[in-house]
Amino acid sequence: MDWADDNEQAAFRSRVRGVITASLPKRYGSGDGEEEGSWERDRRSPVAEHKQAAADWTKALAEQGWVAPHWPKEYGGAGLSPMEQFIFKQEMAASGAPSVGGQGVSQLGPTLIIHGTPEQKAEHLPKILSGEVDWRQGYSEPGAGSDLASLQTRAVRDGDEYVINGQKIWTSLAHYADWLYALVRTDPDAPKHRGISFLLMDKTTPGLSIRPLIDMSSRHHFNETFFEDVRVPVRNRVGEENRGWYVGMTLLDFERSNITGAVNGKRTLDRLTAFLQTAEGKAKSPGAKANRLAVADRYIEVDVMFNFSFRIISMQNRGMVPNYEASVSKLFNSEMNQKIALTGTRVFGLYANIYDGKDERAPLGASMSTNYLRSVSSTIAAGTSEIQRNIIATRGLGLPRG
Ligand SMILES: Cc1cc2nc3c(=O)[nH]c(=O)nc-3n(C[C@H](O)[C@H](O)[C@H](O)COP(=O)(O)OP(=O)(O)OC[C@H]3O[C@@H](n4cnc5c(N)ncnc54)[C@H](O)[C@@H]3O)c2cc1C
């Protein structure tokens, strides 16, 4: 296989690199990759310098039309081809640059572009692109995750409004967001996929409350979202009433290679091996020699991951739609991520038990130990490994449903 850039791709890559080199605020790019949510956090930060970094980076990307690389140009996106998106993401990940616009850019915008009314598009799309409004997703519930269509949060029509009662959970980064998009049940008697509607809601609406969930790495990433008689105007419904499942499942036409995972995995391993060769690294890694083969295996897996990513992007580049191939890539990427995290802690023996990054005994600022705790969720988020395996089994291997 020849995965080398052609002339046009090489020119685009060098343009992306140029913008990152010239404009990426110093605050970003030093770790193993983009820390998820760093733009969202900085945008709301009480520290003026951090807030400014988020604003400067938004401006730099917006000048190129790269806040929303996959949106069509007529809506303010860059209209990049899947291959250009791939290159863009690869370069962003390689420099640890945060993406801007969160789930407004990745999910809500493309959904509105397909299903939104002209008024909804005019009201919301520009504010996503400018970074003025950050959106978060309220889909999962305590009793509805993999089987999302069994969701119970109820919306009852009352004149020009819906009155919502219920609870969402795992609402990532909702504490930084301004608006939420959510799936709610509007017809409890219909078959479960057909009684759901898709609503947009301002986070400050009375009755809507967000409570933190602290994960096992002591991080506030998730939230619980409660609805107590929350009134949302009917004009904030996207698509028809009771057809929200299909709105929420809109296949968003963008690059699906997981290239960011491959690049970040390589960055982490490079940082680990560089540290292991320093005097401090040698002193703090009594287990390094025994784990040498494990580190080599992780490098091989990262290489395999690059090839999965290249396979998907080459399909998309030929106009094909990846199906079970995207599940293979997601599954492999999330399990690789966990294995890298495990290897990255094992080499440090008992030093890996230090979780405080400020403790000077902690190797690499305890980043490997923190990665280890955080990587647990990678095989759950965005479709669990079991669900990916079901897809691979049925759609890829043609096995019967269990
Ligand atoms: C980091 C992270 C961020 C998230 N962010 C958000 C967010 O912003 N908004 C949001 O709405 N949700 C979010 N989620 C929730 C996420 O979508 C769900 O956790 C996920 O869909 C799994 O659902 P669940 O946790 O209810 O587990 P369950 O679906 O209850 O699964 C429990 C176990 O059963 C297995 N299982 C379930 N069904 C099957 C099956 N059919 N066959 C075989 N095994 C099965 C699963 O694989 C899993 O091991 C996030 C989750 C994580 C981890």
Side-chain angles (χ1 to χ4, degrees):
M1 286 294 166
D2 178 11
W3 298 123
D5 288 343
D6 63 23
N7 288 344
E8 227 171 279
Q9 290 159 0
F12 181 68
R13 189 183 295 282
S14 111
R15 201 180 133 212
V16 175
R17 270 187 200 164
V19 170
I20 292 174
T21 309
S23 309
L24 183 66
K26 288 210 170 46
R27 174 166 169 65
Y28 306 120
S30 55
D32 292 338
E34 180 202 350
E35 192 199 327
E36 201 194 343
S38 48
W39 174 80
E40 288 84 346
R41 183 197 53 218
D42 282 359
R43 185 182 152 267
R44 290 288 193 136
S45 174
V47 182
E49 187 195 332
H50 298 175
K51 210 170 179 161
Q52 193 58 46
D56 290 347
W57 186 226
T58 307
K59 186 164 172 279
L61 289 180
E63 275 166 8
Q64 307 297 325
W66 290 346
V67 169
H70 56 296
W71 294 14
K73 280 192 176 152
E74 59 180 303
Y75 293 108
L80 298 186
S81 67
M83 181 54 94
E84 287 168 329
Q85 292 170 43
F86 178 87
I87 293 170
F88 178 75
K89 270 196 193 168
Q90 201 178 5
E91 292 305 319
M92 291 276 282
S95 59
S99 53
V100 161
Q103 286 174 322
V105 164
S106 62
Q107 295 194 352
L108 182 71
T111 303
L112 282 182
I113 287 169
I114 294 174
H115 298 282
T117 61
E119 294 74 27
Q120 287 169 340
K121 290 179 197 174
E123 181 183 351
H124 299 299
L125 297 180
K127 292 181 192 161
I128 295 174
L129 290 170
S130 65
E132 189 184 332
V133 171
D134 183 39
W135 288 82
R136 285 288 140 185
Q137 180 201 66
Y139 283 6
S140 305
E141 297 183 3
S146 302
D147 181 18
L148 183 59
S150 57
L151 61 90
Q152 295 297 328
T153 295
R154 187 80 169 92
V156 177
R157 183 91 177 244
D158 179 22
D160 289 342
E161 293 176 324
Y162 287 107
V163 183
I164 305 166
N165 282 285
Q167 183 197 347
K168 298 289 176 183
I169 196 167
W170 315 124
T171 334
S172 299
L173 305 173
H175 47 304
Y176 298 129
D178 307 288
W179 280 64
L180 303 178
Y181 54 98
L183 291 174
V184 294
R185 185 153 304 281
T186 33
D187 183 352
D189 300 321
K192 63 181 181 180
H193 293 87
R194 294 174 179 263
I196 293 172
S197 298
F198 188 107
L199 298 183
L200 311 175
M201 44 193 103
D202 187 328
K203 211 179 80 177
T204 60
T205 314
L208 199 165
S209 57
I210 308 270
R211 297 186 206 159
L213 281 173
I214 306 301
D215 70 17
M216 65 179 168
S217 71
S218 306
R219 179 178 60 155
H220 178 192
H221 177 83
F222 302 120
N223 301 275
E224 291 180 290
T225 306
F226 293 90
F227 305 88
E228 290 166 271
D229 290 330
V230 173
R231 290 186 164 265
V232 170
V234 168
R235 65 168 190 282
N236 283 9
R237 189 188 68 226
V238 182
E240 288 173 40
E241 189 170 81
N242 297 326
R243 302 294 289 168
W245 177 259
Y246 308 96
V247 175
M249 296 302 122
T250 303
L251 246 197
L252 311 170
D253 180 29
F254 59 85
E255 191 277 305
R256 298 181 70 200
S257 68
N258 280 307
I259 183 62
T260 302
V263 175
N264 287 348
K266 173 130 188 351
R267 275 172 71 103
T268 304
L269 287 175
D270 287 348
R271 211 155 78 87
L272 175 66
T273 48
F275 180 73
L276 290 174
Q277 287 160 45
T278 64
E280 186 194 349
K282 282 179 187 151
K284 289 181 178 167
S285 58
K289 208 166 182 183
N291 284 294
R292 196 171 279 181
L293 287 178
V295 174
D297 279 347
R298 302 296 86 83
Y299 266 112
I300 292 167
E301 286 156 6
V302 163
D303 229 44
V304 171
M305 187 58 220
F306 269 102
N307 279 282
F308 277 135
S309 298
F310 287 136
R311 176 192 187 201
I312 287 182
I313 195 56
S314 68
M315 285 176 73
Q316 290 190 285
N317 202 35
R318 280 177 286 146
M320 295 163 73
V321 178
N323 183 318
Y324 68 89
E325 297 88 347
S327 288
V328 172
S329 161
K330 197 281 172 181
L331 175 67
F332 191 88
N333 183 48
S334 47
E335 295 191 349
M336 175 194 80
N337 188 14
Q338 290 179 344
K339 285 192 243 172
I340 290 175
L342 180 61
T343 302
T345 51
R346 280 204 175 141
V347 293
F348 294 119
L350 289 175
Y351 282 100
N353 288 335
I354 307 172
Y355 289 100
D356 178 2
K358 295 194 187 90
D359 187 322
E360 56 184 31
R361 293 167 303 170
L364 286 167
S367 60
M368 296 293 158
S369 309
T370 309
N371 277 353
Y372 179 63
L373 292 182
R374 293 188 181 166
S375 70
V376 171
S377 66
S378 70
T379 46
I380 303 171
T384 69
S385 284
E386 289 75 19
I387 297 299
Q388 306 305 335
R389 286 195 167 91
N390 285 348
I391 294 172
I392 296 164
T394 50
R395 297 188 210 160
L397 300 172
L399 297 176
R401 279 179 186 276

